[in-house]
Amino acid sequence: MADNNAKLNVRGAAHDFDVLDGSIGPSVVNISSLYKDTDMFTYDPGFTSTASCESKITYIDGDEGTLLYRGYPIEQLADHGDFLESCYLLLYGELPTKVQKDDFVSRVTYHTMIHEQMNRFFSGFRRDAHPMAIMVGTVGALSAFYHDSTDIADPHQRMVASLRMIAKMPTIAAMAYKYHVGQPFVYPRNDLGYAANFLHMCFAVPCEEYKVNPVLARAMDRIFILHADHEQNASTSTVRLAGSSGANPFACIAAGIACLWGPAHGGANEAALNMLSEIGSVDNIPEYVERAKDKDDPFRLMGFGHRVYKNYDPRARIMQKTTHEVLGELGIKDDPLLDVAIELEKIALNDEYFIEKKLYPNIDFYSGITLRALGFPTTMFTVLFALARTVGWIAQWKEMVEDPSQRIGRPRQLYTGATKRDYTPIDQRR
Ligand code: CMC
């Protein structure tokens, strides 16, 4: 039997803490009484050793390279399921029966349109605005349009808000894209599946017929599944922290989108593709690998490394397969960027620096090549990530709101600033 007691000696005094076990994964030391007991805080910048919450949604074993949604391996969900089924699973905890699935798909499908007045929001943005800037603004603005689903204390309103966001995110993302490229908005089509409808809204134009290629729609759907949730990453933690104050769900998701935008997080797929373009040819790879290893050079290999995965990111494997399927379907035989990516991966995986630091390709390494082949500009890559991650953010937000022990998130600090001093009048300051 495991010993569920942890002892901490602080400046000569011993303190006891409980060890809590999860269903799988590392146990945690419950230090919630530490401040009361010792008058001290813990210090963990970047939260590398801190579990911020209890969750039943997603599990990652970074050493093994395992990712489970509600216990189901990502490989099985990507091979046999579809995105809306994964959405149902993440939200409700179980795979749906046929009746439940049909009902869920119908409820999402009939929420895809957005309030017509929201269209005017888009024209307020400069034509060259980054689509992520448009996303942050317009998703936050949903709370100004759907007042009947902002009462977080009402379970019905919570679910309506959740479905609205899953349903409307593709419409908003496609509108951000259309605005960005200067084409008219295309309304959703409820006879198409989730991913197919999204491709239709992005790539159809009023002057000609657009037929969605089912192989590409399937690839898009799989990309959405792979990005649907990833436990307590930076954007999800942002959504939880924003939501812990009781903010409405649309505002919380807008906060998550803002966090995702950064190049160390969701912006990495855009950065990875830009990097592959900059490297340009297989001959230039050694120079870039040397730069990535140089401590005095801030350059990093984008699409490599992960806070949690210290093994091959399981999503990267599926993504690599999807990349080949998409390129095959589109008849792209030689993509110089794919050549660079494959060779770079080979070189890095055999390099002592990357082996020793356990730096493996992550999902963003291959997703950029696929998204570009599907026809998206790099500026849209993080938008697609946000679209897919919305369900994860919502499931995590709901779990937090429904947790009776939930309190406002409020980290502490190690203060190293000036100690108390008196105000100096301006004419006496130097
Ligand atoms: N290229 C070169 N060196 C790297 C890289 C990289 N991509 N990533 C980490 N390192 C080195 C880093 O310099 C450090 O070396 P040292 O110990 O000598 O100081 C060591 O590896 C550990 O890195 P870290 O920055 O302390 O690790 P972290 O867990 O804080 O960062 C990361 C994780 C993903 C931000 C980082 O690996 C990175 O910046 N990767 C490139 C950006 C990227 O691909 N991000 C996508 C993440 S997956 C999508 C998502 O979940 O959002």
Side-chain angles (χ1 to χ4, degrees):
M1 216 39 201
D3 180 3
N4 276 350
N5 179 265
K7 284 202 187 311
L8 178 68
N9 277 306
V10 186
R11 295 184 172 156
H15 302 273
D16 289 308
F17 299 97
D18 290 339
V19 175
L20 307 176
D21 296 319
S23 44
I24 34 173
S27 301
V28 301
V29 180
N30 180 0
I31 50 121
S32 50
S33 63
L34 183 85
Y35 180 50
K36 186 164 62 73
D37 294 352
T38 65
D39 221 12
M40 285 191 189
F41 304 133
T42 52
Y43 181 61
D44 184 18
F47 308 119
T48 49
S49 299
T50 299
S52 61
C53 63
E54 184 184 324
S55 181
K56 293 182 169 53
I57 302 174
T58 292
Y59 175 73
I60 303 171
D61 184 327
D63 295 324
E64 289 285 323
T66 303
L67 169 62
L68 310 176
Y69 292 166
R70 301 279 190 184
Y72 294 99
I74 190 69
E75 294 83 354
Q76 293 181 23
L77 294 168
D79 275 354
H80 308 300
D82 60 39
F83 178 65
L84 285 183
E85 191 175 74
S86 284
C87 289
Y88 185 99
L89 176 67
L90 289 165
L91 278 179
Y92 293 97
E94 296 297 337
L95 285 169
T97 63
K98 169 94 179 66
V99 173
Q100 288 166 333
K101 167 103 185 269
D102 291 348
D103 175 58
F104 183 72
V105 170
S106 152
R107 281 189 293 150
V108 169
T109 304
Y110 288 96
H111 273 109
T112 46
M113 280 184 23
I114 59 167
H115 196 291
E116 192 63 15
Q117 250 179 287
M118 272 197 73
N119 290 5
R120 288 191 227 141
F121 251 84
F122 288 83
S123 49
F125 286 96
R126 254 175 67 148
R127 178 63 67 195
D128 57 356
H130 194 289
M132 278 300 273
I134 299 180
M135 292 299 285
V136 175
T138 48
V139 172
L142 287 173
S143 34
F145 284 87
Y146 299 100
H147 303 132
D148 58 343
S149 53
T150 52
D151 178 3
I152 65 157
D154 177 350
H156 175 69
Q157 291 203 23
R158 286 202 295 273
M159 192 43 90
V160 173
S162 304
L163 290 177
R164 276 189 170 140
M165 275 187 279
I166 294 168
K168 294 183 197 310
M169 205 56 89
T171 314
I172 296 173
M175 288 170 83
Y177 170 66
K178 286 299 200 189
Y179 186 73
H180 192 55
V181 294
Q183 290 180 4
F185 298 141
V186 173
Y187 284 86
R189 263 183 51 189
N190 292 352
D191 60 323
L192 295 175
Y194 191 86
N197 175 48
F198 177 63
L199 292 177
H200 162 78
M201 288 190 291
C202 286
F203 299 123
V205 283
C207 46
E208 56 191 59
E209 196 194 348
Y210 175 78
K211 254 182 111 54
V212 182
N213 178 326
V215 176
L216 304 188
R218 176 74 189 124
M220 189 80 258
D221 194 76
R222 203 175 296 135
I223 292 171
F224 291 160
I225 296 174
L226 298 181
H227 287 87
D229 195 42
H230 216 224
E231 52 114 316
Q232 311 312 320
N233 54 80
S235 57
T236 301
S237 301
T238 301
V239 170
R240 278 188 178 256
L241 199 54
S244 76
S245 71
N248 77 67
F250 303 108
C252 296
I253 300 304
I257 295 173
C259 177
L260 186 76
W261 195 355
H265 192 8
N269 50 16
E270 185 176 342
L273 195 83
N274 291 339
M275 180 196 72
L276 292 175
S277 304
E278 192 188 313
I279 296 176
S281 99
V282 168
D283 299 339
N284 297 331
I285 293 174
E287 177 196 330
Y288 282 86
V289 170
E290 283 316 306
R291 282 188 59 196
K293 289 156 53 174
D294 181 355
K295 272 212 161 304
D296 299 324
D297 189 328
F299 175 77
R300 284 185 168 198
L301 281 191
M302 285 294 143
F304 267 80
H306 199 275
R307 170 61 62 80
V308 182
Y309 293 119
K310 301 302 168 199
N311 200 328
Y312 211 101
D313 178 343
R315 304 169 301 170
R317 263 187 229 291
I318 306 167
M319 199 65 240
Q320 191 196 45
K321 205 172 103 197
T322 305
T323 305
H324 286 290
E325 276 170 23
V326 167
L327 297 184
E329 178 65 19
L330 293 173
I332 303 173
K333 292 210 177 55
D334 300 306
D335 181 338
L337 294 196
L338 184 63
D339 295 343
V340 173
I342 291 171
E343 191 57 26
L344 178 60
E345 178 182 355
K346 219 187 295 167
I347 292 176
L349 287 179
N350 288 300
D351 189 293
E352 207 37 56
Y353 174 92
F354 289 86
I355 295 171
E356 192 215 312
K357 294 188 189 302
K358 300 191 174 159
L359 297 169
Y360 292 85
N362 58 51
I363 184 168
D364 294 320
F365 191 62
Y366 283 106
S367 63
I369 296 173
T370 320
L371 295 176
R372 192 184 59 135
L374 286 170
F376 292 103
T378 48
T379 45
M380 275 298 286
F381 292 0
T382 318
V383 172
L384 301 182
F385 191 161
L387 187 175
R389 183 56 59 85
T390 295
V391 64
W393 290 330
I394 288 169
Q396 301 270 352
W397 169 83
K398 262 178 92 279
E399 183 178 63
M400 181 198 66
V401 171
E402 289 164 13
D403 177 354
S405 66
Q406 186 266 325
R407 301 168 74 192
I408 187 166
R410 177 43 170 107
R412 300 299 193 138
Q413 64 174 6
L414 173 65
Y415 178 70
T416 52
T419 54
K420 191 176 173 198
R421 48 186 170 163
D422 288 326
Y423 179 84
T424 326
I426 196 160
D427 56 349
Q428 292 169 28
R429 289 178 214 158
R430 298 176 199 203

